[in-house]
């Protein structure tokens, strides 16, 4: 494509603020707009060359043949439109809407209009911010409130587990360059660690609130909260949500539940949450146990390295254990439990009144 033609296309589009590429008939990049350079600055080394090499997104690789077939198809209008995600080390996933549109030359005979498709321009719109318009935290908070109404002992337990898990993930990312952990992982575990017990929504109150020891039958029903949680979150597009709910009670040695997974068969996110969950549960005063000190909690975690917990993650935990104590002290339950108890009692009173009204009809 000549420089003059590139200029004509740019002038025709007449939008200097648009992120776009111009490609020749071999799909080589011949023009990159400044907004495109800015958008992809941290993700690719942009240069004139094959589009699918320069933008080497794994997602593009997955749909490469679909795009090529569409660009060669008269039925599709020699165009393609879709969402493509881009990853780079240390960066959050960038979601973009990309549209390939044809540039026609006169004189060819490759289509019914006597025109030949020779070049393309590619328009890019960032979708990352738009995806945030759906705020899953609102839904999650609603689910968490439902859990807390059933079990007032949880208090701010879920919030603290979220904070502990985030610090564990951040430490893996900054100090150990753990291959599975990136900014997306950190954001996700912060959100989904708080939902680890969401399956307790389906646990009967008689079992969930029982002050004494559970029978073997009751314990088996209690353990089903992992499967219930995975079912509740099964439709969520981020797999970590389901992984944590399902596997945070699995043990490193294979003696946990619900499926007795062992070692690295257990998702990393669930192995992190397992440590965070137990640390906080040990620190809490429950109707059936006294609260333990930070030192006692650290000792319990350490003693179960290699049995309950991933040994490497236990070492990570020990290196930042002081931060766990800080989180506990900053967010420990004080009046929250009493407030939550009042809410719970009000909810149960409303429920009883509804039952009475129904029976009286």
């Amino acid at each position: 494509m000549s420089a003059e033609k590139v200029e004509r296309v740019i002038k025709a589009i007449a939008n200097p603020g648009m992120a776009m590429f111009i490609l020749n008939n071999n799909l080589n990049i011949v023009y990159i707009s400044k907004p495109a350079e800015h958008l992809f600055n941290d993700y690719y080394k942009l240069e004139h060359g094959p589009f699918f090499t320069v933008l080497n997104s794994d997602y593009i690789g997955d749909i490469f043949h679909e795009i090529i077939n569409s660009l060669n198809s008269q039925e599709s209008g020699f165009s393609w439109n879709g969402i493509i995600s881009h990853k780079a080390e240390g960066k959050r996933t960038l979601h973009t809407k990309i549209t390939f549109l044809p540039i026609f030359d006169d004189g060819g005979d490759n289509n019914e209009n006597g025109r030949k498709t020779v070049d393309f321009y590619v328009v890019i719109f960032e979708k990352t911010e738009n995806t945030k318009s759906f705020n899953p935290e609102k839904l999650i908070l609603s689910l968490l409130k439902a859990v807390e109404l059933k079990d007032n002992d949880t208090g701010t337990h879920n919030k603290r587990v979220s904070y502990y898990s985030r610090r564990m993930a951040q430490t893996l990312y900054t100090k150990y360059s753990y291959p599975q952990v990136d900014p997306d992982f950190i954001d996700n575990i912060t959100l989904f660690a708080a939902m680890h017990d969401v399956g307790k929504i389906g646990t009967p109150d008689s079992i969930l609130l029982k002050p004494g020891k559970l029978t073997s039958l009751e314990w088996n029903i209690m353990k089903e909260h992992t499967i219930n949680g995975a079912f509740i979150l099964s439709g969520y597009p981020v797999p970590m949500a389901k992984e944590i709910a399902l596997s945070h009670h699995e043990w490193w040695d294979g003696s946990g539940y619900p499926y007795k997974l062992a070692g690295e068969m257990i998702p990393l996110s669930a192995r992190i949450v397992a440590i965070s969950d137990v640390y906080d549960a040990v620190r809490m005063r429950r109707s059936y146990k006294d609260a333990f000190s930070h030192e006692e909690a650290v000792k319990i975690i350490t003693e179960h390295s290699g049995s309950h917990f991933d040994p490497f993650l236990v070492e990570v935990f020990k290196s930042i254990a002081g931060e766990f104590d800080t989180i506990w002290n900053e967010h420990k339950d004080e009046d929250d439990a009493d407030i939550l108890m009042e809410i719970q009692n009000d909810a149960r009173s409303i429920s009883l009144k509804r039952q009475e009204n129904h029976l009286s009809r």
Side-chain angles (χ1 to χ4, degrees):
M1 179 185 289
S2 67
E4 291 79 10
K5 186 170 183 180
V6 170
E7 290 299 324
R8 289 202 307 271
V9 173
I10 295 171
K11 186 176 181 179
I13 295 172
N15 190 342
M18 182 179 291
M20 61 171 288
F21 298 90
I22 297 178
L23 314 182
N24 64 18
N25 59 341
N26 293 317
L27 300 181
N28 289 323
I29 298 173
V30 297
Y31 171 79
I32 306 167
S33 70
K34 291 294 183 183
E37 290 181 352
H38 177 74
L39 178 62
F40 290 118
N41 180 56
D42 295 325
Y43 293 85
Y44 306 110
K45 181 182 178 181
L46 294 180
E47 56 190 5
H48 290 188
F51 180 86
F52 293 104
T53 300
V54 174
L55 268 70
N56 57 347
S57 167
D58 290 339
Y59 188 81
I60 292 179
D62 292 340
I63 59 175
F64 173 79
H65 294 292
E66 174 191 325
I67 296 174
I68 295 299
N69 290 336
S70 185
L71 298 185
N72 287 314
S73 169
Q74 182 174 312
E75 291 182 358
S76 68
F78 307 103
S79 63
W80 183 87
N81 180 67
I83 305 297
I84 294 180
S85 301
H86 314 269
K87 282 291 297 178
E89 184 176 353
K91 298 295 178 182
R92 290 176 173 83
T93 301
L94 173 67
H95 303 284
T96 58
K97 180 179 180 181
I98 294 187
T99 302
F100 290 77
L101 294 169
I103 304 169
F104 294 106
D105 261 357
D106 295 330
D109 59 357
N110 283 26
N111 63 45
E112 62 185 9
N113 297 317
R115 294 184 300 178
K116 181 180 179 182
T117 305
V118 292
D119 306 300
F120 296 89
Y121 65 94
V122 184
V123 181
I124 304 103
F125 295 97
E126 183 176 358
K127 295 286 290 181
T128 303
E129 291 302 318
N130 293 339
T131 61
K132 295 177 181 178
S133 61
F134 168 69
N135 184 359
E137 293 187 16
K138 292 182 179 179
L139 173 61
I140 287 169
L141 288 174
S142 298
L143 288 171
L144 291 178
K145 286 298 182 184
V147 176
E148 290 172 1
L149 285 172
K150 288 177 66 68
D151 182 6
N152 67 283
D153 277 348
T154 59
T156 51
H157 166 72
N158 295 319
K159 182 185 295 185
R160 291 191 299 267
V161 170
S162 171
Y163 294 155
Y164 303 143
S165 299
R166 178 179 180 86
R167 282 300 300 126
M168 288 275 286
Q170 288 173 330
T171 303
L172 288 174
Y173 177 64
T174 57
K175 292 187 177 181
Y176 298 97
S177 299
Y178 212 89
Q180 292 174 255
V181 181
D182 59 12
D184 287 335
F185 183 100
I186 295 170
D187 287 347
N188 288 333
I189 201 168
T190 302
L191 186 60
F192 299 125
M195 299 194 70
H196 64 285
D197 277 340
V198 70
K200 286 183 177 179
I201 289 174
T203 304
D205 288 352
S206 60
I207 294 175
L208 198 61
L209 304 177
K210 184 176 180 178
K213 185 177 179 180
L214 299 180
T215 67
S216 59
L217 176 60
E218 290 170 335
W219 178 236
N220 285 333
I221 295 173
M222 173 67 84
K223 289 192 292 185
E224 289 178 356
H225 80 273
T226 54
I227 297 173
N228 292 339
F231 178 77
I232 290 170
L233 299 174
S234 61
Y236 199 86
V238 180
M240 186 188 292
K242 179 179 177 180
E243 291 174 353
I244 290 174
L246 183 64
S247 302
H248 68 281
H249 283 297
E250 298 287 4
W251 283 39
W252 183 258
D253 65 5
S255 62
Y257 66 87
Y259 296 124
K260 297 190 179 298
L261 302 180
E264 294 189 356
M265 293 173 63
I266 307 167
L268 175 62
S269 58
R271 302 194 318 257
I272 292 172
V273 172
I275 292 175
S276 301
D277 185 29
V278 170
Y279 173 86
D280 199 73
V282 168
R283 298 288 317 260
M284 291 177 67
R285 178 178 62 82
R286 298 273 188 152
S287 58
Y288 51 84
K289 65 174 264 313
D290 292 328
F292 284 40
S293 68
H294 168 69
E295 291 74 20
E296 291 171 320
V298 172
K299 182 180 179 183
I300 289 171
I301 298 292
T302 303
E303 288 176 345
H304 286 81
S305 175
S307 56
H308 191 159
F309 307 114
D310 178 341
F312 176 75
L313 292 183
V314 170
E315 295 304 311
V316 174
F317 160 76
K318 288 164 60 178
S319 72
I320 58 170
E323 296 183 49
F324 273 53
D325 191 35
T326 299
I327 291 170
W328 166 264
N329 287 307
E330 289 180 350
H331 301 281
K332 63 184 177 181
D333 300 310
E334 292 177 352
D335 297 330
D336 288 352
D338 293 333
I339 293 172
L340 195 57
M341 177 67 84
E342 291 178 10
I343 295 172
Q344 184 182 34
N345 289 338
D346 288 343
R348 286 177 175 167
S349 296
I350 292 171
S351 178
L352 288 172
K353 287 179 181 178
R354 286 177 176 172
Q355 291 178 29
E356 291 171 359
N357 291 337
H358 177 73
L359 291 173
S360 64
R361 291 179 181 178

